[in-house]
Amino acid sequence: MGRIRFVDLHAQYQSLKSEIDAAISGVVEQCAFVGGPYVEGFAEQFAAEYGAAHCITVANGTDAIYIVLKMLGIGAGDEVITTASSWIATSETISQTGATPVFVDVDEYLHIDVEKIEQALSSRTRVILPVHLYGQPADLDAITDIAERHGLYVVEDCAQAHFAEYRSKRVGLFGAAGTFSFYPGKNLGAYGDAGAIITDDSDLASRCKMFANHGAKRKHEHEIEGINSRLDGIQAAILSVKLKYIHQWTEQRRVVAASYDEGLAEISQITPLGRRSHSKHVFHLYVVQTENRDGLRQFLADHGVQTGIHYPTPLPLLRAYDHLGLTAEQFPRAARMHRQILSLPIYPEMTGEMVNEVVAAIRAFYE
Ligand SMILES: *Cc1c(COP(=O)(O)O)cnc(C)c1O
């Protein structure tokens, strides 16, 4: 059996090599290294393609969250409600502003459990920060409803969900702002770190842009102290090339996912993570649940199939949050599901044959 990688970024580069190489040398020829026409061009293209009024490009997806929270005025004494299941960037940025992350257990899709949000609210709550984990939209109807009733901002972490849809509307457009990562392995990936914020709020957009650029709207006119979170020209030029293919790649991811669904349907010991209705998943990850996760993972590794665990530990149970004194009993669903989840290889260039190989290896484990 051949080796099946979890992701294969090289396959995509091969398919676009001449376009990408030309884009990179264009930036180098013009010395448009930081900011400049390529960065502005990508920001405009991404906003237009997404259907957002503004796109602010930043250095990475973590900064995108931090910048939005800061520019919404979030800081010491405030609380931000978020999910127990995500990458640490989601909660780390809340703490970076001086605010406190308040974690809520997950629903069956590993999204923030909207039934448990209201009991987590306090007089200090300012924001609900849902994550569209694995490329599937969280329960945005309920989240926006709760936020409206309690006068809270919604900031969507869309790092894994570029162009995913909830009730025919793209995620990232439901609240004050949506944040994106273009880390190389994300659905739309640069060749280094990169990120963006989208918003329809012109005032928030201009504040985010200013804060990300040392607090200056114009050179040397610093209105506030900001940070340095700029996108490089090379990353922007690569992203402009790749943006043309994103919908095609998303469709290819869906084909891979459908092949897994079909192949795994007859293996009773393994269950693909559920799919929320009224939504379009973009399959950043294809995640299954199984009782003997670690055994299966080892068997697949021994048979040349790379897998991942996203993530081994729920956020509130990481050592980084020891000071909050939270326990697994407070997050029963996350604690259980994080022991059962396994991410199977998925990327647009993956063939049906490769999916069949993975499915055959899984079947062999259970037989
Ligand atoms: C990748 C990711 C981020 C952070 O993005 P970077 O570009 O790596 O800083 C934030 N949230 C989630 C859910 C992510 O998967």
Side-chain angles (χ1 to χ4, degrees):
M1 187 177 290
R3 184 167 170 71
I4 299 186
R5 291 175 211 236
F6 185 61
V7 284
D8 184 352
L9 300 179
H10 198 256
Q12 194 168 82
Y13 174 58
Q14 282 307 316
S15 75
L16 298 177
K17 188 175 183 334
S18 58
E19 267 188 281
I20 297 270
D21 291 356
I24 294 172
S25 53
V27 176
V28 177
E29 286 290 342
Q30 293 177 46
C31 298
F33 298 123
V34 177
Y38 292 92
V39 174
E40 282 159 26
F42 173 69
E44 275 168 30
Q45 290 152 13
F46 191 72
E49 191 58 44
Y50 219 89
H54 305 279
C55 168
I56 301 95
T57 56
V58 296
N60 55 66
T62 305
D63 279 0
I65 306 170
Y66 171 66
I67 291 165
V68 168
L69 293 176
K70 278 291 275 189
M71 292 302 100
L72 288 174
I74 307 309
D78 294 330
E79 292 177 354
V80 176
I81 303 253
T82 196
T83 170
S85 290
S86 187
W87 172 242
I88 194 167
T90 307
S91 50
E92 188 173 62
T93 47
I94 297 170
S95 306
Q96 280 165 15
T97 68
T100 304
V102 175
F103 296 105
V104 170
D105 201 9
V106 294
D107 62 17
E108 63 181 296
Y109 310 103
L110 276 164
H111 293 138
I112 189 167
D113 185 345
V114 297
E115 303 292 328
K116 296 186 178 145
I117 292 179
E118 285 189 291
Q119 65 206 54
L121 298 178
S122 82
S123 58
R124 296 163 177 261
T125 310
R126 304 280 312 281
V127 180
I128 305 176
L129 175 31
V131 179
H132 305 304
L133 200 68
Y134 309 147
Q136 164 155 258
D139 188 352
L140 284 162
D141 272 349
I143 292 165
T144 51
D145 176 59
I146 295 167
E148 239 165 70
R149 280 191 285 110
H150 296 273
L152 308 173
Y153 293 116
V154 173
V155 175
E156 297 171 75
D157 181 344
C158 306
Q160 302 187 1
H162 312 70
F163 297 95
E165 290 178 19
Y166 182 80
R167 293 196 189 277
S168 305
K169 179 170 163 181
R170 289 179 174 154
V171 302
L173 299 171
F174 285 79
T179 65
F180 292 83
S181 167
F182 306 119
Y183 181 77
K186 299 284 160 85
N187 286 23
L188 180 61
Y191 284 3
D193 279 307
I197 297 159
I198 59 168
T199 180
D200 286 335
D201 178 338
S202 309
D203 183 50
L204 179 62
S206 84
R207 279 181 287 141
C208 289
K209 193 170 178 186
M210 175 174 77
F211 184 68
N213 186 31
H214 298 290
K217 281 186 187 149
R218 288 201 214 119
K219 202 167 189 178
H220 302 309
E221 293 178 22
H222 304 276
E223 298 179 26
I224 54 171
E225 280 187 337
I227 61 170
N228 173 2
S229 185
R230 298 178 296 218
L231 183 65
D232 304 348
I234 288 179
Q235 303 309 336
I238 291 166
L239 287 167
S240 287
V241 170
K242 293 179 92 182
L243 185 60
K244 296 186 285 180
Y245 300 93
I246 185 64
H247 302 301
Q248 177 189 322
W249 290 333
T250 298
E251 284 313 317
Q252 288 170 241
R253 286 178 182 274
R254 288 181 178 135
V255 169
V256 172
S259 308
Y260 272 129
D261 286 349
E262 197 186 321
L264 296 174
E266 62 205 53
I267 307 176
S268 63
Q269 296 92 336
I270 193 164
T271 320
L273 194 74
R275 310 283 157 73
R276 192 182 295 288
S277 52
H278 314 299
S279 66
K280 282 196 187 158
H281 197 319
V282 295
F283 293 100
H284 174 57
L285 295 172
Y286 186 93
V287 174
V288 296
Q289 290 167 270
T290 179
E291 290 299 330
N292 189 1
R293 189 264 315 272
D294 295 333
L296 173 62
R297 183 163 201 237
Q298 186 59 52
F299 182 88
L300 292 176
D302 294 343
H303 291 76
V305 176
Q306 273 183 355
T307 58
I309 298 174
H310 300 88
Y311 298 89
T313 309
L315 292 175
L317 305 182
L318 289 171
R319 193 146 45 139
Y321 295 108
D322 276 357
H323 62 281
L324 297 177
L326 301 167
T327 65
E329 290 69 42
Q330 295 169 277
F331 305 93
R333 177 120 59 176
R336 176 168 47 81
M337 288 179 79
H338 281 251
R339 287 193 296 270
Q340 300 175 340
I341 49 177
L342 184 67
S343 309
L344 301 181
I346 189 166
Y347 50 91
E349 297 76 15
M350 201 174 167
T351 63
E353 234 163 69
M354 296 165 92
V355 173
N356 291 343
E357 268 188 61
V358 176
V359 171
I362 293 171
R363 192 179 297 118
F365 173 70
Y366 289 111
E367 279 163 7

